[in-house]
Amino acid sequence: MVKRGTSKNEDLWRIPPPGAFGPLDEHGRRLGVAAPELSLSVVIPCLNAEDGLQRTLDALGSAARSGFTPEIVVVDGGSTDRTREIAEAAGARVIECAPGRGTQLATGARAAKGDWLLFLHGDTALERGWAASVMVFASNDRNRERAAVFSFALDDESAAARWLEKVVRWRNRWLGLPYGDQGLLIHRRFYRRLGGYKEIPLMEDVDLIRRIGLARIALFDIRAVTSAERYVRGGYLRRMLRNFVCLTLFFCRVPPRLIARIYG
């Protein structure tokens, strides 16, 4: 799993699916190994997320088959659609705060009760096997000083979507910059020691990832499948260029509130 001497130019530590470590039962648990206790809270910031939230919550429901039930905290930034109704029907705890992903993530982390925190976007669904992978990662005490993300994927069959996925793999490998749509699994104590998410309007994910550092990030082979709607609507190339400009401005220390105006 871990290779010695890895540099910043090599890939993130990759964590293969649990099946790579031995046979699994029909629920994704390793045969002959007792399921460890896992205290996990999933924090989902939302704003008018009714179109994708149900899929996200349905995917999280598979955790029960792996032997644990996560707390789900949906942080709503003032939705005017059915976001709250969908979340409550799925058994999630809904809290409200001012809109802004950084603020919502920080608020959700403070409200969450789990020892482990999984931050996830409201239009992202984790593939089958995610819960078993999380259990494997969390069962290693050394990982309490590390974090993990999932592999990026889009729910679009176009060539443009496959190209973007390759670009993200390149960005992960050479820049060590997974974004929030890959999820983030981190122990609460480590999250607090890092200072958590800053309540900024944009780039809150990049800001925290940089503080974690490439050497302390693991990459699950399990995919986090995100809605491609915004790329289809705005155009893949145009949106990628805009994201690149915003990232460059952030590294040039332009205040996030100004970058947010460009991002729209």
Side-chain angles (χ1 to χ4, degrees):
M1 271 171 45
V2 175
K3 297 184 253 184
R4 296 176 182 265
T6 296
S7 71
K8 289 185 179 180
N9 288 332
E10 295 182 11
D11 203 2
L12 299 171
W13 305 132
R14 297 190 68 86
I15 304 226
F21 303 109
L24 307 178
D25 65 15
E26 67 273 18
H27 301 308
R29 295 189 291 257
R30 291 177 62 190
L31 292 174
V33 178
E37 293 185 4
L38 179 59
S39 174
L40 174 71
S41 293
V42 184
V43 177
I44 307 174
C46 289
L47 180 61
N48 294 329
E50 66 176 2
D51 290 340
L53 183 58
Q54 188 65 63
R55 185 184 65 159
T56 299
L57 296 172
D58 287 344
L60 293 175
S62 66
R65 296 195 296 271
S66 292
F68 70 97
T69 302
E71 174 193 36
I72 301 177
V73 180
V74 171
V75 188
D76 186 56
S79 297
T80 57
D81 62 2
R82 296 177 58 249
T83 293
R84 186 183 187 101
E85 177 184 341
I86 292 170
E88 290 178 340
R93 179 157 61 103
V94 180
I95 59 178
E96 296 183 358
C97 75
R101 189 166 279 160
T103 298
Q104 291 172 252
L105 288 167
T107 299
R110 288 191 294 267
K113 301 176 182 178
D115 294 331
W116 285 88
L117 303 173
L118 174 57
F119 299 98
L120 194 64
H121 287 183
D123 62 349
T124 298
L126 301 179
E127 283 194 324
R128 183 181 181 272
W130 75 268
S133 292
V134 166
M135 291 179 70
V136 169
F137 184 82
S139 64
N140 187 334
D141 287 343
R142 290 177 299 177
N143 289 335
R144 294 188 176 192
E145 297 296 318
R146 301 173 70 203
V149 299
F150 294 87
S151 298
F152 175 78
L154 291 169
D155 63 351
D156 182 10
E157 298 300 324
S158 70
R162 301 291 82 78
W163 180 66
L164 177 55
E165 291 169 358
K166 291 180 180 178
V167 170
V168 171
R169 285 195 294 270
W170 179 91
R171 190 187 70 216
N172 286 342
R173 177 175 182 178
W174 296 102
L175 300 181
L177 287 175
Y179 286 174
D181 47 17
Q182 291 179 247
L184 178 70
L185 175 68
I186 188 170
H187 194 273
R188 174 185 295 277
R189 182 178 58 195
F190 186 37
Y191 171 84
R192 286 177 173 173
R193 186 160 63 82
L194 291 168
Y197 279 107
K198 292 183 180 179
E199 298 189 25
I200 53 180
L202 203 68
M203 296 293 170
E204 78 292 331
D205 49 357
V206 175
D207 174 74
L208 181 55
I209 284 294
R210 292 182 71 193
R211 281 180 278 140
I212 294 171
L214 175 59
R216 297 186 294 187
I217 299 174
L219 178 65
F220 292 123
D221 278 342
I222 300 295
R223 301 191 310 165
V225 183
T226 295
S227 170
E229 190 271 336
R230 64 186 186 277
Y231 290 99
V232 173
R233 183 180 67 247
Y236 275 87
L237 183 58
R238 181 180 178 184
R239 189 170 186 90
M240 288 179 63
L241 288 174
R242 184 175 62 175
N243 290 347
F244 176 76
V245 169
C246 291
L247 182 63
T248 301
L249 292 174
F250 180 75
F251 283 139
C252 292
R253 300 182 181 277
V254 175
R257 67 179 183 278
L258 298 180
I259 302 175
R261 296 179 183 177
I262 299 173
Y263 189 80

